[in-house]
Amino acid sequence: MDKCAIHYFSGTGNTHNMIMLLADELGRNGYEVHIINIEKENDRKLDNYKLHIFCYPIYGFGTPEIMLKYISKVRTPSNSNAAIVCTSAGFEGQSLFHIKRVLAKKGFEVILTDMVTYNYNWTQIFNPKTKEKQKEIFREAEVESRKIAKKLINNVTGFKNRNIMILAISWIIFIIFNKLGRKFLGRTYIADDSCINCSKCKNICPAEVIEIYKGKPKWNWKCESCQRCINMCPKKSIQLSIIKLTIYALFQLIPLFIIFNMDKKYGLSWILNIFLFCAMFGINSILANLLINIMERFSLTRKILQISYTKSYRRNVAKDFYISL
């Protein structure tokens, strides 16, 4: 009996749903499947598996940082095939191309890359689809997941390809998101007055970025933007703070305004413009963070920070994902 290892990360359960379908189909067809949740286990001996499947959601047109770190530490097994199957709302960006190259350099024979479409879970920005629409998407995703499993069973090879222009644009967006976007977005979360201090958000956070300060969660700068906390809060207490987002945005627009006027007046070189922008960006980020920290300490200003539009949003967590955590 061939052994298969499924290495996965799932933010709110879409990828978890997919890997359970893959495992079921592979198991029905003679594979011994071992599921490895990279949040809990990352030191399993891998040489005994003929096939490795790496599964994860797409964040910012790329691979989550937590998965990138895991793959970078995977010990290279001998004579092992690998498949990469991601989940997204419809576009995988540069991720499959990127991870295929990374795994190949580590000695894997990558035989398949593919994607399964699920409902988006970016509740921090967009209102998730209705329950009825989500059920429809999950039914379609099950069909696609089982098709991919059958490809693996029948040794069908294939790769999702993108043209150079799309890959280049995806890389740029992903780098900005991974290095800056997800971190700033994590700092724009806030728990409103319905928070019961249950600490669930802290306990389920895969990146361990949440601390409880004076009975309320507080996010640091290492957020994955997996959306697990906002979607799984039992009281729907976690929101996007419009005021926090506005403060960060305004503080970062100031350097652009200053540099534009200085360049117009003095004709600065592009190297000096970049240097000044980076310096002011860093300083203004610190100042914006300091202002927000001060506002969070006082009840009146904290009330102001709680202004949001996400309270009325639906939440999106895949069925049975609670049990897997």
Side-chain angles (χ1 to χ4, degrees), residues 27 41 45-46 52 58 71 78 85 94 101 118 120 149-150 154 159 165 167 176 190 199 218 221 239 290 301 308 316:
E41 183 179 3
K45 185 175 176 60
L46 303 180
H52 294 264
I58 296 297
I71 290 175
S78 58
V85 188
Q94 51 76 41
R101 291 174 64 88
Y118 277 84
Y120 54 80
K150 287 174 181 175
N154 295 318
F159 308 103
M165 182 64 70
L167 286 175
I176 294 172
I190 194 165
S199 296
K218 187 175 182 179
W221 289 96
Q239 317 298 340
L290 180 61
T301 48
S308 180
N316 177 22

Side-chain angles (χ1 to χ4, degrees), residues 6 16 51 56 59 64 72 86 109 118 148 171 176 201 208 214-216 229 234 246 266 268 282:
I6 300 179
H16 178 262
L51 174 65
Y56 52 85
Y59 296 158
S72 71
C86 63
E109 180 67 31
Y118 277 84
I148 292 171
W171 265 111
I176 294 172
C201 54
E208 299 180 347
K214 292 186 176 180
K216 300 291 184 182
C229 58
T246 302
Y266 300 109
L268 304 177

Side-chain angles (χ1 to χ4, degrees), residues 177-210:
F177 174 82
N178 190 50
K179 299 302 181 184
L180 293 173
R182 66 185 176 90
K183 299 179 180 182
F184 278 99
L185 284 171
R187 288 290 295 141
T188 63
Y189 281 122
I190 194 165
D192 62 29
D193 289 339
S194 64
C195 175
I196 58 174
N197 190 22
C198 66
S199 296
K200 182 170 185 175
C201 54
K202 176 184 177 180
N203 297 332
I204 63 173
C205 178
E208 299 180 347
V209 303
I210 301 175

Side-chain angles (χ1 to χ4, degrees), residues 56-68:
Y56 52 85
I58 296 297
Y59 296 158
F61 295 167
T63 311
E65 182 69 13
I66 190 172
M67 195 73 189
L68 290 172

Side-chain angles (χ1 to χ4, degrees), residues 164-177:
I164 298 298
M165 182 64 70
I166 291 177
L167 286 175
I169 294 171
S170 299
W171 265 111
I172 293 170
I173 294 173
F174 173 68
I175 290 170
I176 294 172
F177 174 82

Side-chain angles (χ1 to χ4, degrees), residues 188-304:
T188 63
Y189 281 122
I190 194 165
D192 62 29
D193 289 339
S194 64
C195 175
I196 58 174
N197 190 22
C198 66
S199 296
K200 182 170 185 175
C201 54
K202 176 184 177 180
N203 297 332
I204 63 173
C205 178
E208 299 180 347
V209 303
I210 301 175
E211 298 178 358
I212 305 300
Y213 177 75
K214 292 186 176 180
K216 300 291 184 182
K218 187 175 182 179
W219 288 257
N220 67 27
W221 289 96
K222 298 180 181 179
C223 181
E224 284 280 352
S225 197
C226 71
Q227 307 293 298
R228 188 180 292 176
C229 58
I230 190 172
N231 282 292
M232 296 185 71
C233 175
K235 293 294 183 180
K236 291 179 64 175
S237 303
I238 297 172
Q239 317 298 340
L240 168 73
S241 169
I242 295 175
I243 305 303
K244 281 188 178 186
L245 184 63
T246 302
I247 289 172
Y248 281 124
L250 287 176
F251 270 69
Q252 301 315 328
L253 286 174
I254 292 172
L256 290 174
F257 178 78
I258 293 174
I259 290 171
F260 176 80
N261 282 280
M262 288 179 66
D263 185 60
K264 190 175 180 181
K265 186 174 182 179
Y266 300 109
L268 304 177
S269 69
W270 65 270
I271 296 176
L272 184 56
N273 281 333
I274 292 174
F275 174 78
L276 289 173
F277 175 78
C278 291
M280 285 188 280
F281 182 91
I283 293 170
N284 280 21
S285 296
I286 294 171
L287 293 174
N289 195 54
L290 180 61
L291 174 60
I292 288 170
N293 284 340
I294 293 172
M295 292 180 71
E296 286 184 318
R297 293 185 179 185
F298 302 98
S299 57
L300 177 60
T301 48
R302 184 177 174 82
K303 282 276 190 184
I304 296 173

Side-chain angles (χ1 to χ4, degrees), residues 21-22 78 100 115 117 126 146 171 181 225 243 288 303 322:
L21 294 168
L22 293 175
S78 58
K100 178 188 174 187
M115 180 193 72
T117 301
F126 302 111
R146 293 190 183 278
W171 265 111
S225 197
I243 305 303
K303 282 276 190 184
Y322 289 96

